[in-house]
Amino acid sequence: MSYPTDELLALASETRATILQRLEAGPRTVGEIAQGLPVSRPAISQHLRILEQAKLVTEEYQGTRHIYRIDPTGLATLRTWLDRFWTRSLDAFAAEVERQNQTPHPSHAKQRRASRP
Amino acid sequence: MQNSAVPPVRKSIAVSTSPDRAFAIFTGGMHQWWPRAHTLNPKAERAAVIAEPRAGGRWFERAVDGTECTWGQVLTWEPPHRVILGWQLDEQWQYNPAFLTEVEIRFESKDGKSTQVTLEHRNLERYGVHAATLRAGLDSDEGWMGGLRGFAAVAGSAAAS
């Protein structure tokens, strides 16, 4: 795993980022979301479905119109991800402490030698 | 958004060493343990993760080719008991000097033999609605892992394992 980087954003989510930016300004219909985007309407709908499944966007029916808006539970998932991230990181830290308990790391030995008068 | 909207992430782990040494390994030996794949620079192998040992110091990674990517800054430096790092990666995992969340790490002696390391990552509400963009990267099938799988396939890289 690594951080989502430019490659990832370019690969999959550039359009979705644009959609989300538009929805941050307020609820929109598919037509409003699609306006000026070089992507077909079915493709926009596809992206909206993915965003909905990820609980980033909610859909509401007003008569025959579908209105999309940002789903605030997005932050909960960010938090969950960070929670997992820090669990992994602290586990790795503890493993490193254990490793150094077994075998002092050469760089530390070097520092100790270097600090001798 | 209210501060209470997103509770901080809190983690705690015990390690069998002194606070002094736990602090030193956490802050000074970060590149030894920071999950290798968690990098802002997947193109070059990481040579170091550095938290400069003072308040106001930079927190960054350096690749073997010398490229540096800033993660944030050191906000509080109180060895061996406390360090607060400013995590300044925004919702697109870009360093953003105008964005800051705090990661506080405390090192407390438990029984003379071990140290309780407690971590709190707070101010997550500052991601606000922009977190949605991040979440698209994290969770959707074509985002986070899907995107990484795609990247790995394109780059022929083993880094996404």
Side-chain angles (χ1 to χ4, degrees):
Chain A
M1 284 233 254
S2 79
Y3 292 121
T5 50
D6 294 348
E7 289 82 0
L8 182 153
L9 292 168
L11 270 171
S13 62
E14 202 175 299
T15 304
R16 293 204 287 275
T18 306
I19 292 172
L20 289 166
Q21 270 165 21
R22 290 184 176 193
L23 291 177
E24 279 166 21
R28 297 274 188 279
T29 63
V30 184
E32 288 164 344
I33 292 164
Q35 224 161 46
L37 282 180
V39 183
S40 71
R41 191 71 77 85
I44 295 286
S45 297
Q46 177 71 24
H47 283 302
L48 282 166
R49 267 199 297 279
I50 290 165
L51 290 169
E52 239 182 329
Q53 279 161 12
K55 295 205 195 311
L56 288 168
V57 159
T58 55
E59 187 183 6
E60 187 189 311
Y61 301 93
Q62 289 184 359
T64 56
R65 302 199 317 162
H66 295 196
I67 311 285
Y68 291 87
R69 63 182 76 232
I70 292 283
D71 184 343
T73 55
L75 278 174
T77 301
L78 161 67
R79 191 181 172 284
T80 302
W81 186 85
L82 283 170
D83 193 280
R84 289 200 303 261
F85 166 75
W86 284 119
T87 299
R88 282 197 300 272
S89 296
L90 280 189
D91 284 350
F93 161 70
E96 174 62 15
V97 171
E98 273 315 305
R99 195 183 68 80
Q100 292 198 23
N101 281 345
Q102 307 301 318
T103 344
H105 192 268
S107 71
H108 286 257
K110 215 185 298 165
Q111 275 164 17
R112 276 199 296 278
R113 276 200 301 278
S115 67
R116 270 180 204 154
Chain B
M1 186 167 283
Q2 296 297 308
N3 277 8
S4 58
V6 190
V9 167
R10 293 194 180 92
K11 295 281 151 195
S12 192
I13 198 165
V15 288
S16 26
T17 192
S18 64
D20 264 347
R21 207 150 149 274
F23 186 96
I25 294 171
F26 193 98
T27 59
M30 223 174 246
H31 64 285
Q32 310 283 358
W33 60 265
W34 193 276
R36 183 166 293 275
H38 284 285
T39 175
L40 293 189
N41 182 2
K43 290 178 192 117
E45 197 189 335
R46 189 164 70 207
V49 179
I50 295 159
E52 291 175 340
R54 60 170 196 279
R58 285 173 66 216
W59 183 26
F60 62 102
E61 65 177 318
R62 185 188 294 136
V64 286
D65 64 4
T67 313
E68 292 183 357
C69 293
T70 303
W71 295 358
Q73 59 182 297
V74 177
L75 298 172
T76 302
W77 184 260
E78 295 171 359
H81 294 300
R82 190 164 80 123
V83 62
I84 303 179
L85 300 169
W87 169 292
Q88 296 183 276
L89 304 177
D90 68 12
E91 71 284 356
Q92 298 195 12
W93 301 100
Q94 304 286 329
Y95 169 67
N96 179 350
F99 178 83
L100 188 145
T101 59
E102 291 184 0
V103 182
E104 177 174 6
I105 307 104
R106 291 176 170 274
F107 303 84
E108 287 158 320
S109 181
K110 261 178 85 183
D111 45 22
K113 280 182 275 181
S114 64
T115 300
Q116 194 71 34
V117 180
T118 310
L119 180 146
E120 178 177 289
H121 190 167
R122 58 188 176 234
N123 318 117
L124 302 181
E125 67 283 352
R126 291 180 188 167
Y127 277 104
V129 75
H130 295 280
T133 313
L134 171 62
R135 192 173 171 205
L138 297 182
D139 270 7
S140 69
D141 214 36
E142 293 177 16
W144 183 224
M145 287 313 290
L148 289 168
R149 276 195 293 271
F151 171 61
V154 169
S157 158
S161 61

